[in-house]
Amino acid sequence: MSPPPPRTARLKVAFVLLPRFTLLPFAGFVDMLRLAADEGDMSRQIDCRWTTMTADGRPVRASCGTRITPDGGLTPPRGFDYIVVVGGLIHQGPVQDPAVTGYLRTAAAAGVPLVGLCTAVFTLIHAGLMRDRQCCVSWYHHRDLVQAFPDVTPVADRLFVVDGPRITCAGGTGAVDLAAWLVDRHLGAAAARKALNILVSDAARPADAPQPMAIGDGGPEVRDPRLRQALRILDNTLATPPRTGDLARRVGLSRRQLERLFRDELETTPSAYARRLRLRHGHWLVTRTGRSFTEIAQECGFADASHFSRNLKAAYGTTPQALRTAAQAAPPSIP
């Protein structure tokens, strides 16, 4: 009796590793596929198959220094269900490669969904593949993205965003949650749950789960995840903070419920908290940079420099110019 024919993989993924890519999102994503692909811990590529690629097929180093040898160069994209681009450090030289950009455009034209992990969203935007689409970015790189692409409005209060054939993820352990979502979608809930159990994870977090972060650079610790998400939204919309009603809708609450959370946990209102956050950022810019007060006022959501100056003086007891002069006269701190 002849052996049964090999099963066709139901989920085929290609990973494009960019220079200085972050190892954790890649490892978490690929391990989720590995554990869902086979029974037990056999690690055979049966129900899932994956391949790793670099622009030139040569080894690449992760941001931590680990050297990875890929399976090869850029393979024609039509054989994959998803192309996953793994980004990494963005402040140590150019992160764009014409070969990768061209490959991603070809994949998009062929209808292959593209996934951007961590800072790979920068690559997708640079390639012109995120036009009129939402994109997710880590809170840590939110301002980097806004500065690099001022016409883009990134989402930094969710783990990942699915916008048609473009999927972007903040990175870190959120890549495991995204991979679990894909496994559930293609192989079923049982396969996803089995893989998560082996990874010692209770359950996959949904896409709209808030990103863990220190609010406002050392901000308050809050218990309710909806309040944490609201604070992150305010932290990322300093120039144009949403009205309380709009903020409440974005986190799935009524205005009254959100106001009660702010009152119970922070003893303030959403608008007062947003104003305090804007002034704290303004104080930092005044004392740490040489930017004009008009620029700072605009970045912090005040009508003009005079409006900003009045509010800053009311909060800190002195004018922006006096604060800057004092900061410049102070001796440098020892790291």
Side-chain angles (χ1 to χ4, degrees):
M1 188 176 189
S2 60
R7 295 208 304 260
T8 301
R10 290 180 282 166
L11 179 56
K12 300 179 288 296
V13 177
F15 293 93
V16 179
L17 306 180
L18 300 182
R20 301 173 299 279
F21 72 97
T22 44
L23 188 60
L24 175 58
F26 166 65
F29 200 115
V30 77
D31 241 15
M32 187 72 201
L33 299 181
R34 176 182 71 87
L35 294 167
D38 196 6
E39 296 300 324
D41 196 23
M42 298 292 290
S43 300
R44 295 171 298 178
Q45 297 192 30
I46 299 176
D47 287 326
C48 299
R49 288 184 186 165
W50 56 92
T51 187
T52 54
M53 307 184 296
T54 58
D56 55 7
R58 300 174 64 182
V60 62
R61 287 195 183 277
S63 59
C64 63
T66 298
R67 189 168 181 265
I68 298 292
T69 300
D71 296 313
L74 301 173
T75 304
R78 287 189 179 274
F80 302 107
D81 297 309
Y82 299 91
I83 305 292
V84 179
V85 189
V86 190
L89 301 183
I90 59 174
H91 300 300
Q92 296 185 9
V95 296
Q96 312 304 338
D97 186 307
V100 172
T101 299
Y103 178 76
L104 295 177
R105 289 172 178 161
T106 299
V112 180
L114 302 176
V115 179
L117 296 186
C118 196
T119 58
V121 65
F122 287 73
T123 301
L124 295 179
I125 296 171
H126 178 80
L129 299 172
M130 295 300 296
R131 193 168 292 116
D132 299 323
R133 296 185 184 278
Q134 284 192 315
C135 64
C136 183
V137 67
S138 163
W139 65 267
Y140 189 78
H141 289 297
H142 177 270
R143 291 200 175 108
D144 293 319
L145 195 146
V146 170
Q147 291 172 358
F149 304 103
D151 295 333
V152 174
T153 303
V155 176
D157 61 311
R158 303 178 58 167
L159 294 180
F160 60 92
V161 169
V162 181
D163 192 341
R166 304 288 184 273
I167 303 173
T168 47
C169 174
T173 57
V176 175
D177 302 293
L178 171 54
W181 180 81
L182 290 175
V183 168
D184 189 330
R185 186 180 185 200
H186 289 269
L187 275 66
R193 186 167 54 250
K194 186 261 288 189
L196 286 166
N197 288 343
I198 298 175
L199 288 174
V200 198
S201 175
D202 290 334
R205 294 169 293 180
D208 60 358
Q211 295 182 28
M213 64 176 279
I215 303 298
D217 194 15
E221 292 292 330
V222 296
R223 296 185 300 275
D224 194 290
R226 298 164 299 181
L227 181 56
R228 287 202 301 271
Q229 187 172 3
L231 298 187
R232 290 181 190 118
I233 292 172
L234 292 177
D235 190 53
N236 292 321
T237 55
L238 292 176
T240 55
R243 295 179 181 274
T244 300
D246 293 333
L247 180 62
R249 282 190 290 274
R250 288 181 64 174
V251 299
L253 295 171
S254 69
R255 177 179 180 133
R256 182 173 296 180
Q257 288 173 320
L258 182 64
E259 289 175 335
R260 185 182 301 117
L261 279 176
F262 268 86
R263 184 176 63 250
D264 291 348
E265 290 208 41
L266 300 175
E267 298 182 348
T268 189
T269 64
S271 58
Y273 180 87
R275 179 176 170 275
R276 187 168 72 236
L277 199 63
R278 290 156 56 209
L279 286 169
R280 182 165 61 187
H281 183 56
H283 181 278
W284 189 93
L285 291 173
V286 165
T287 57
R288 303 292 183 89
T289 76
R291 295 172 60 182
S292 74
F293 298 146
T294 297
E295 288 179 314
I296 295 173
Q298 291 174 345
E299 179 166 328
C300 296
F302 292 93
D304 51 37
S306 297
H307 185 214
F308 170 65
S309 180
R310 289 195 303 272
N311 280 270
L312 195 73
K313 184 176 181 179
Y316 292 94
T318 189
T319 65
Q321 185 58 59
L323 284 170
R324 176 165 288 176
T325 300
Q328 292 172 342
S333 59
I334 299 174

